[in-house]
Amino acid sequence: MAQPPPPAKTVQESVSDGEAVKEGYAYTDGKVATSGEAIHVMEVPVIDLGLLASSPSAAGELFKLRSALALWGCFQAINHGMSGSFLSKVRELMGQFFALPMEEKQKYASPADDMEGYGNDMVLSEQQVLDWNERLLLIISPKDQRKLDVWPRKPESFRERVQEYSVKLQAIVGVVLKAISLSLNLEENCFLDQVGEQGKMYARFNYYPRCPRLDLVYGLKPHADGSTMTIVLPDEEVLGLQFLRGDQWISVSTIPEAVLINIGDIMEIMSNGILKSPMHRVVTNATSDRISVAVFCCPEEENEIGPAEGLINEDTLRLYKKIFYSEYYQLGKRPIEALKI
Ligand code: OGA
Ligand code: NI
């Protein structure tokens, strides 16, 4: 008979047990550069989505959007149709979910063969390097693909608010995709047609417990998102999200009523490499827990994705092969690399 797995302990339990960050739980080769490195805090450019959609003022705002994406790969969106009090409510409900007893959260645990549901990096091997977080991953769109058995029933209004949030975000995706197309002098629906009117959206609710050894752990390892774009609702107070600009990590601050939008690999492919899917990471905080929601807006699975034809001509070669989005993640670690022509 197979050996039973070693007892799994969550990162949160390790901390609350007062354990030190042990070798095997942590980067011991100096890869976490948060100690000793002065990290600058900067506010990323603010884009008014209302202006993007209104013709007299769109040109200026489109120019700002294009510059923000070139410099950062991300921007803060305001005037996005969600009130500050609604966003506070979403944050509050998420905080309440993660504060529930482990027993309750485990009711929504992701099954072994699926990412969806509640989970975290289980401590299963000595070599494993953990991300210092707990998370809840849910498909929120299309609606008929939701797996409601892993959707929390507590706090009570969680499901209803997430539903409302997903409807609002869907509208934002439409506005932003049209604006990005226009900012590249493409026909307005060029990207929206590729990814599909409805798209597929995954919400990842993140809880990053405080950690006394910032020099040893990441809340989330450096990565680029495989999405078309990702809409992040950051913690209202606690910083932690950093973007790589050139060779410098910069800690981004956002205004409370804004959501942070970064583009992902699919946008890099569709823009034929003109726009870059930015590397980013989350560092932990020594004294405060941090929460965030990242919603990955992705193409409909059966859609074929490739560089926009309008960007290819005699002087500009096609940089990426076409791919069906359902196959994208099977390409490996940074799938986009495998698509280079
Ligand atoms: C992610 C991500 C940022 C955050 O989940 O891919 O980058 O602030 N999250 O949690
Ligand atoms: Ni990310």
Side-chain angles (χ1 to χ4, degrees):
M1 244 177 72
Q3 288 283 316
K9 207 184 233 195
T10 68
V11 286
Q12 191 194 29
E13 283 166 334
S14 311
V15 183
S16 55
D17 287 355
E19 281 181 28
V21 183
K22 288 182 195 155
E23 203 178 322
Y25 289 51
Y27 291 87
T28 49
D29 54 3
K31 272 197 191 140
V32 181
T34 50
S35 58
E37 183 188 342
I39 299 277
H40 296 284
V41 179
M42 286 175 80
E43 218 185 77
V44 290
V46 177
I47 304 293
D48 184 324
L49 298 192
L51 292 181
L52 281 180
S54 77
S55 44
S57 41
E61 209 61 12
L62 284 175
F63 181 77
K64 267 172 69 184
L65 174 68
R66 176 74 201 272
S67 326
L69 292 180
L71 198 58
W72 288 92
C74 69
F75 61 92
Q76 303 183 64
I78 56 162
N79 208 354
H80 42 49
M82 296 181 284
S83 68
S85 62
F86 175 70
L87 295 181
S88 300
K89 191 74 199 160
V90 173
R91 290 185 176 104
E92 189 189 321
L93 287 169
M94 176 172 38
Q96 285 167 355
F97 171 75
F98 286 113
L100 290 171
M102 191 52 87
E103 201 188 316
E104 177 66 26
K105 290 187 282 190
Q106 286 294 354
K107 289 183 187 163
Y108 316 105
S110 37
D113 59 347
D114 195 357
M115 294 278 290
E116 256 179 279
Y118 170 75
N120 45 27
D121 288 337
M122 292 293 180
V123 183
L124 294 173
S125 90
E126 289 275 307
Q127 289 78 40
Q128 185 181 349
V129 183
L130 290 171
D131 279 338
W132 201 257
N133 69 48
E134 275 177 54
R135 57 187 170 253
L136 172 71
L137 183 71
L138 304 176
I139 292 176
I140 55 174
S141 177
K143 224 173 160 182
D144 59 10
Q145 288 182 25
R146 292 178 182 176
K147 296 183 188 143
L148 288 177
D149 43 331
V150 292
W151 280 52
R153 270 175 283 277
K154 285 184 192 169
E156 224 164 71
S157 49
F158 185 89
R159 291 182 173 198
E160 203 182 312
R161 287 292 163 270
V162 172
Q163 160 62 13
E164 203 176 328
Y165 194 52
S166 68
V167 170
K168 300 282 191 190
L169 294 193
Q170 200 125 38
I172 293 176
V173 174
V175 171
V176 173
L177 280 181
K178 285 182 182 180
I180 297 179
S181 304
L182 291 174
S183 81
L184 296 173
N185 297 321
L186 293 166
E187 189 273 313
E188 182 174 67
N189 286 320
C190 174
F191 293 142
L192 201 54
D193 285 348
Q194 278 207 52
V195 300
E197 203 49 68
Q198 195 166 40
K200 182 150 184 172
M201 298 204 293
Y202 299 83
R204 195 181 131 131
F205 299 85
N206 297 300
Y207 171 61
Y208 302 98
R210 68 194 74 179
C211 175
R213 292 298 306 271
L214 304 184
D215 52 331
L216 293 181
V217 299
Y218 277 126
L220 206 54
K221 296 177 188 67
H223 66 282
D225 295 341
S227 55
T228 308
M229 68 170 88
T230 306
I231 306 180
V232 180
L233 179 64
D235 197 288
E236 211 160 350
E237 280 153 20
V238 185
L239 294 180
L241 178 56
Q242 303 182 345
F243 280 80
L244 190 60
R245 240 184 73 175
D247 58 0
Q248 272 214 320
W249 287 101
I250 311 235
S251 181
V252 298
S253 70
T254 42
I255 46 182
E257 68 273 23
V259 290
L260 189 133
I261 301 184
N262 68 267
I263 57 167
D265 294 353
I266 298 298
M267 184 52 79
E268 181 164 341
I269 293 168
M270 293 194 302
S271 73
N272 199 37
I274 295 175
L275 302 175
K276 303 273 185 261
S277 170
M279 290 295 286
H280 53 287
R281 66 184 187 185
V282 176
V283 300
T284 48
N285 188 289
T287 50
S288 306
D289 302 342
R290 177 175 180 272
I291 52 168
S292 70
V293 197
V295 174
F296 304 102
C297 308
C298 302
E300 287 169 18
E301 266 167 11
E302 59 282 5
N303 286 16
E304 196 179 39
I305 300 298
E309 294 301 330
L311 296 173
I312 315 288
N313 55 44
E314 281 164 14
D315 304 321
T316 315
L317 296 176
R318 181 186 302 277
L319 290 186
Y320 296 104
K321 292 176 210 150
K322 287 188 178 177
I323 180 126
F324 285 100
Y325 185 64
S326 55
E327 294 162 0
Y328 187 67
Y329 276 98
Q330 293 154 29
L331 293 175
K333 200 167 160 231
R334 271 229 61 200
I336 194 169
E337 296 297 328
L339 285 181
K340 286 212 169 114
I341 291 176

mmCIF file of all heavy atoms in Angstrom, residues 15 47 64 67 75-76 105 108 129 133-134 137-138 154 162 200-201 213 226 241 273 275 279 285 289 293 311 315 327:
data_model
loop_
_atom_site.group_PDB
_atom_site.id
_atom_site.type_symbol
_atom_site.label_atom_id
_atom_site.label_comp_id
_atom_site.label_asym_id
_atom_site.label_seq_id
_atom_site.Cartn_x
_atom_site.Cartn_y
_atom_site.Cartn_z
ATOM 1 N N VAL A 15 2.811 29.656 11.164
ATOM 2 C CA VAL A 15 3.041 30.929 11.857
ATOM 3 C C VAL A 15 2.378 30.923 13.222
ATOM 4 O O VAL A 15 2.983 31.267 14.230
ATOM 5 C CB VAL A 15 2.483 32.138 11.061
ATOM 6 C CG1 VAL A 15 2.800 33.431 11.778
ATOM 7 C CG2 VAL A 15 3.040 32.170 9.682
ATOM 8 N N ILE A 47 -6.079 55.831 -14.744
ATOM 9 C CA ILE A 47 -6.845 55.984 -15.986
ATOM 10 C C ILE A 47 -8.332 56.049 -15.637
ATOM 11 O O ILE A 47 -8.838 55.211 -14.878
ATOM 12 C CB ILE A 47 -6.597 54.794 -16.951
ATOM 13 C CG1 ILE A 47 -5.097 54.622 -17.259
ATOM 14 C CG2 ILE A 47 -7.421 54.946 -18.229
ATOM 15 C CD1 ILE A 47 -4.464 55.743 -18.047
ATOM 16 N N LYS A 64 -2.687 58.265 -22.501
ATOM 17 C CA LYS A 64 -2.205 57.954 -21.145
ATOM 18 C C LYS A 64 -2.179 56.442 -20.902
ATOM 19 O O LYS A 64 -1.264 55.910 -20.285
ATOM 20 C CB LYS A 64 -3.147 58.585 -20.097
ATOM 21 C CG LYS A 64 -2.698 59.967 -19.654
ATOM 22 C CD LYS A 64 -3.747 60.629 -18.765
ATOM 23 C CE LYS A 64 -3.914 59.998 -17.391
ATOM 24 N NZ LYS A 64 -5.009 60.617 -16.625
ATOM 25 N N SER A 67 0.739 54.882 -22.706
ATOM 26 C CA SER A 67 2.014 55.147 -22.012
ATOM 27 C C SER A 67 2.131 54.309 -20.744
ATOM 28 O O SER A 67 3.195 53.791 -20.429
ATOM 29 C CB SER A 67 2.167 56.616 -21.601
ATOM 30 O OG SER A 67 1.572 57.447 -22.520
ATOM 31 N N PHE A 75 -2.059 49.727 -14.767
ATOM 32 C CA PHE A 75 -2.555 51.062 -14.420
ATOM 33 C C PHE A 75 -3.625 50.916 -13.356
ATOM 34 O O PHE A 75 -4.107 49.807 -13.098
ATOM 35 C CB PHE A 75 -3.112 51.771 -15.668
ATOM 36 C CG PHE A 75 -4.269 51.063 -16.329
ATOM 37 C CD1 PHE A 75 -5.582 51.362 -15.983
ATOM 38 C CD2 PHE A 75 -4.054 50.070 -17.287
ATOM 39 C CE1 PHE A 75 -6.660 50.698 -16.572
ATOM 40 C CE2 PHE A 75 -5.127 49.404 -17.885
ATOM 41 C CZ PHE A 75 -6.424 49.719 -17.529
ATOM 42 N N GLN A 76 -3.964 52.035 -12.729
ATOM 43 C CA GLN A 76 -5.088 52.029 -11.788
ATOM 44 C C GLN A 76 -6.302 52.550 -12.520
ATOM 45 O O GLN A 76 -6.233 53.620 -13.128
ATOM 46 C CB GLN A 76 -4.884 53.019 -10.654
ATOM 47 C CG GLN A 76 -3.669 52.883 -9.833
ATOM 48 C CD GLN A 76 -3.714 53.925 -8.714
ATOM 49 O OE1 GLN A 76 -4.596 53.899 -7.838
ATOM 50 N NE2 GLN A 76 -2.776 54.848 -8.734
ATOM 51 N N LYS A 105 -13.368 26.508 6.484
ATOM 52 C CA LYS A 105 -12.737 26.783 5.183
ATOM 53 C C LYS A 105 -12.462 25.489 4.422
ATOM 54 O O LYS A 105 -12.574 25.436 3.202
ATOM 55 C CB LYS A 105 -11.446 27.578 5.393
ATOM 56 C CG LYS A 105 -11.698 29.012 5.847
ATOM 57 C CD LYS A 105 -10.443 29.843 5.888
ATOM 58 C CE LYS A 105 -9.597 29.563 7.119
ATOM 59 N NZ LYS A 105 -8.499 30.535 7.273
ATOM 60 N N TYR A 108 -14.585 23.914 1.663
ATOM 61 C CA TYR A 108 -14.508 24.365 0.275
ATOM 62 C C TYR A 108 -13.150 24.033 -0.333
ATOM 63 O O TYR A 108 -12.732 24.637 -1.318
ATOM 64 C CB TYR A 108 -14.791 25.877 0.214
ATOM 65 C CG TYR A 108 -15.961 26.254 1.087
ATOM 66 C CD1 TYR A 108 -15.779 26.897 2.297
ATOM 67 C CD2 TYR A 108 -17.252 25.874 0.713
ATOM 68 C CE1 TYR A 108 -16.849 27.188 3.127
ATOM 69 C CE2 TYR A 108 -18.323 26.154 1.530
ATOM 70 C CZ TYR A 108 -18.128 26.802 2.738
ATOM 71 O OH TYR A 108 -19.192 27.067 3.557
ATOM 72 N N VAL A 129 9.535 25.261 -1.909
ATOM 73 C CA VAL A 129 9.549 26.652 -1.485
ATOM 74 C C VAL A 129 8.118 27.174 -1.536
ATOM 75 O O VAL A 129 7.487 27.202 -2.579
ATOM 76 C CB VAL A 129 10.469 27.493 -2.391
ATOM 77 C CG1 VAL A 129 10.537 28.918 -1.886
ATOM 78 C CG2 VAL A 129 11.863 26.885 -2.440
ATOM 79 N N ASN A 133 0.882 32.199 1.558
ATOM 80 C CA ASN A 133 -0.497 32.669 1.433
ATOM 81 C C ASN A 133 -1.512 31.541 1.564
ATOM 82 O O ASN A 133 -1.159 30.367 1.526
ATOM 83 C CB ASN A 133 -0.701 33.397 0.097
ATOM 84 C CG ASN A 133 -0.624 32.476 -1.110
ATOM 85 O OD1 ASN A 133 -1.250 31.410 -1.143
ATOM 86 N ND2 ASN A 133 0.138 32.854 -2.112
ATOM 87 N N GLU A 134 -2.742 31.957 1.728
ATOM 88 C CA GLU A 134 -3.899 31.074 1.615
ATOM 89 C C GLU A 134 -4.735 31.661 0.502
ATOM 90 O O GLU A 134 -4.738 32.875 0.314
ATOM 91 C CB GLU A 134 -4.786 31.158 2.859
ATOM 92 C CG GLU A 134 -4.394 30.302 3.994
ATOM 93 C CD GLU A 134 -5.347 30.566 5.167
ATOM 94 O OE1 GLU A 134 -6.576 30.467 5.010
ATOM 95 O OE2 GLU A 134 -4.826 30.894 6.238
ATOM 96 N N LEU A 137 -9.807 29.945 -5.001
ATOM 97 C CA LEU A 137 -9.877 30.153 -6.451
ATOM 98 C C LEU A 137 -11.242 29.703 -6.961
ATOM 99 O O LEU A 137 -11.640 28.562 -6.729
ATOM 100 C CB LEU A 137 -8.764 29.355 -7.144
ATOM 101 C CG LEU A 137 -8.675 29.525 -8.665
ATOM 102 C CD1 LEU A 137 -8.150 30.912 -9.017
ATOM 103 C CD2 LEU A 137 -7.771 28.464 -9.292
ATOM 104 N N LEU A 138 -11.945 30.599 -7.640
ATOM 105 C CA LEU A 138 -13.283 30.275 -8.152
ATOM 106 C C LEU A 138 -13.405 30.699 -9.610
ATOM 107 O O LEU A 138 -12.982 31.805 -9.968
ATOM 108 C CB LEU A 138 -14.357 31.040 -7.358
ATOM 109 C CG LEU A 138 -14.408 30.876 -5.842
ATOM 110 C CD1 LEU A 138 -15.473 31.809 -5.260
ATOM 111 C CD2 LEU A 138 -14.692 29.431 -5.450
ATOM 112 N N LYS A 154 -20.424 30.889 3.883
ATOM 113 C CA LYS A 154 -20.180 31.906 4.907
ATOM 114 C C LYS A 154 -19.018 32.759 4.456
ATOM 115 O O LYS A 154 -18.074 32.200 3.904
ATOM 116 C CB LYS A 154 -19.804 31.222 6.233
ATOM 117 C CG LYS A 154 -20.945 30.590 6.945
ATOM 118 C CD LYS A 154 -20.406 30.054 8.264
ATOM 119 C CE LYS A 154 -21.437 29.138 8.931
ATOM 120 N NZ LYS A 154 -20.843 28.409 10.062
ATOM 121 N N VAL A 162 -20.024 38.409 -4.848
ATOM 122 C CA VAL A 162 -19.100 37.945 -5.889
ATOM 123 C C VAL A 162 -19.811 37.959 -7.243
ATOM 124 O O VAL A 162 -19.233 38.329 -8.265
ATOM 125 C CB VAL A 162 -18.533 36.541 -5.554
ATOM 126 C CG1 VAL A 162 -17.737 35.975 -6.724
ATOM 127 C CG2 VAL A 162 -17.636 36.620 -4.324
ATOM 128 N N LYS A 200 -13.586 34.029 -20.049
ATOM 129 C CA LYS A 200 -13.595 33.173 -18.868
ATOM 130 C C LYS A 200 -12.894 33.923 -17.753
ATOM 131 O O LYS A 200 -11.841 34.520 -17.970
ATOM 132 C CB LYS A 200 -12.844 31.873 -19.188
ATOM 133 C CG LYS A 200 -12.843 30.898 -18.041
ATOM 134 C CD LYS A 200 -12.792 29.473 -18.519
ATOM 135 C CE LYS A 200 -12.902 28.552 -17.318
ATOM 136 N NZ LYS A 200 -13.053 27.158 -17.708
ATOM 137 N N MET A 201 -13.491 33.947 -16.577
ATOM 138 C CA MET A 201 -12.882 34.692 -15.473
ATOM 139 C C MET A 201 -12.688 33.807 -14.238
ATOM 140 O O MET A 201 -13.608 33.117 -13.814
ATOM 141 C CB MET A 201 -13.745 35.898 -15.096
ATOM 142 C CG MET A 201 -13.890 36.910 -16.229
ATOM 143 S SD MET A 201 -14.272 38.576 -15.644
ATOM 144 C CE MET A 201 -15.884 38.360 -14.976
ATOM 145 N N ARG A 213 9.876 36.917 8.884
ATOM 146 C CA ARG A 213 11.119 36.797 8.121
ATOM 147 C C ARG A 213 10.905 37.140 6.651
ATOM 148 O O ARG A 213 10.855 36.272 5.785
ATOM 149 C CB ARG A 213 11.679 35.363 8.261
ATOM 150 C CG ARG A 213 12.171 35.047 9.658
ATOM 151 C CD ARG A 213 13.328 35.948 10.104
ATOM 152 N NE ARG A 213 14.447 35.947 9.173
ATOM 153 C CZ ARG A 213 15.461 35.084 9.222
ATOM 154 N NH1 ARG A 213 15.500 34.154 10.143
ATOM 155 N NH2 ARG A 213 16.453 35.160 8.351
ATOM 156 N N GLY A 226 -0.953 34.611 -17.018
ATOM 157 C CA GLY A 226 -1.287 34.000 -18.309
ATOM 158 C C GLY A 226 -2.621 34.481 -18.861
ATOM 159 O O GLY A 226 -3.130 33.932 -19.825
ATOM 160 N N LEU A 241 2.360 44.370 -3.271
ATOM 161 C CA LEU A 241 2.472 44.041 -4.691
ATOM 162 C C LEU A 241 3.571 44.900 -5.325
ATOM 163 O O LEU A 241 3.585 46.113 -5.168
ATOM 164 C CB LEU A 241 1.120 44.279 -5.362
ATOM 165 C CG LEU A 241 1.001 44.036 -6.871
ATOM 166 C CD1 LEU A 241 1.421 42.620 -7.262
ATOM 167 C CD2 LEU A 241 -0.422 44.303 -7.343
ATOM 168 N N GLY A 273 3.560 41.431 -29.226
ATOM 169 C CA GLY A 273 4.730 41.795 -28.419
ATOM 170 C C GLY A 273 4.913 43.287 -28.199
ATOM 171 O O GLY A 273 5.854 43.707 -27.523
ATOM 172 N N LEU A 275 2.894 45.198 -26.456
ATOM 173 C CA LEU A 275 2.631 45.357 -25.025
ATOM 174 C C LEU A 275 3.223 44.154 -24.306
ATOM 175 O O LEU A 275 3.151 43.031 -24.792
ATOM 176 C CB LEU A 275 1.117 45.439 -24.770
ATOM 177 C CG LEU A 275 0.406 46.575 -25.507
ATOM 178 C CD1 LEU A 275 -1.099 46.497 -25.282
ATOM 179 C CD2 LEU A 275 0.934 47.931 -25.059
ATOM 180 N N MET A 279 6.262 41.353 -15.191
ATOM 181 C CA MET A 279 6.603 40.482 -14.065
ATOM 182 C C MET A 279 6.185 41.211 -12.788
ATOM 183 O O MET A 279 6.375 42.422 -12.653
ATOM 184 C CB MET A 279 8.116 40.247 -14.007
ATOM 185 C CG MET A 279 8.667 39.388 -15.129
ATOM 186 S SD MET A 279 8.051 37.689 -15.075
ATOM 187 C CE MET A 279 8.968 37.040 -13.689
ATOM 188 N N ASN A 285 4.408 41.143 4.763
ATOM 189 C CA ASN A 285 4.605 42.244 5.682
ATOM 190 C C ASN A 285 4.890 41.645 7.061
ATOM 191 O O ASN A 285 4.302 40.637 7.432
ATOM 192 C CB ASN A 285 3.314 43.079 5.686
ATOM 193 C CG ASN A 285 3.466 44.360 6.454
ATOM 194 O OD1 ASN A 285 3.560 44.351 7.684
ATOM 195 N ND2 ASN A 285 3.510 45.460 5.741
ATOM 196 N N ASP A 289 -1.319 41.449 8.191
ATOM 197 C CA ASP A 289 -1.803 40.532 7.162
ATOM 198 C C ASP A 289 -2.248 41.367 5.969
ATOM 199 O O ASP A 289 -2.579 42.534 6.123
ATOM 200 C CB ASP A 289 -3.004 39.726 7.664
ATOM 201 C CG ASP A 289 -2.667 38.928 8.910
ATOM 202 O OD1 ASP A 289 -1.467 38.725 9.177
ATOM 203 O OD2 ASP A 289 -3.615 38.511 9.608
ATOM 204 N N VAL A 293 -7.893 40.537 -4.081
ATOM 205 C CA VAL A 293 -8.594 39.661 -5.023
ATOM 206 C C VAL A 293 -7.989 39.909 -6.400
ATOM 207 O O VAL A 293 -7.955 41.051 -6.845
ATOM 208 C CB VAL A 293 -10.090 39.985 -5.210
ATOM 209 C CG1 VAL A 293 -10.826 38.813 -5.849
ATOM 210 C CG2 VAL A 293 -10.753 40.452 -3.957
ATOM 211 N N LEU A 311 -1.602 44.385 -37.068
ATOM 212 C CA LEU A 311 -0.272 44.781 -36.565
ATOM 213 C C LEU A 311 0.853 44.131 -37.363
ATOM 214 O O LEU A 311 2.033 44.355 -37.108
ATOM 215 C CB LEU A 311 -0.132 44.403 -35.083
ATOM 216 C CG LEU A 311 -1.080 45.117 -34.126
ATOM 217 C CD1 LEU A 311 -0.973 44.539 -32.722
ATOM 218 C CD2 LEU A 311 -0.792 46.612 -34.101
ATOM 219 N N ASP A 315 6.929 45.103 -42.877
ATOM 220 C CA ASP A 315 8.054 45.479 -42.008
ATOM 221 C C ASP A 315 7.986 44.843 -40.627
ATOM 222 O O ASP A 315 8.951 44.844 -39.892
ATOM 223 C CB ASP A 315 8.078 47.008 -41.805
ATOM 224 C CG ASP A 315 8.138 47.723 -43.136
ATOM 225 O OD1 ASP A 315 8.849 47.225 -44.025
ATOM 226 O OD2 ASP A 315 7.458 48.761 -43.275
ATOM 227 N N GLU A 327 -5.335 25.251 -24.749
ATOM 228 C CA GLU A 327 -4.051 24.538 -24.778
ATOM 229 C C GLU A 327 -2.919 25.365 -24.182
ATOM 230 O O GLU A 327 -1.800 24.891 -24.034
ATOM 231 C CB GLU A 327 -3.686 24.190 -26.239
ATOM 232 C CG GLU A 327 -4.641 23.194 -26.848
ATOM 233 C CD GLU A 327 -4.571 23.169 -28.373
ATOM 234 O OE1 GLU A 327 -3.784 23.929 -28.969
ATOM 235 O OE2 GLU A 327 -5.314 22.374 -28.948
#
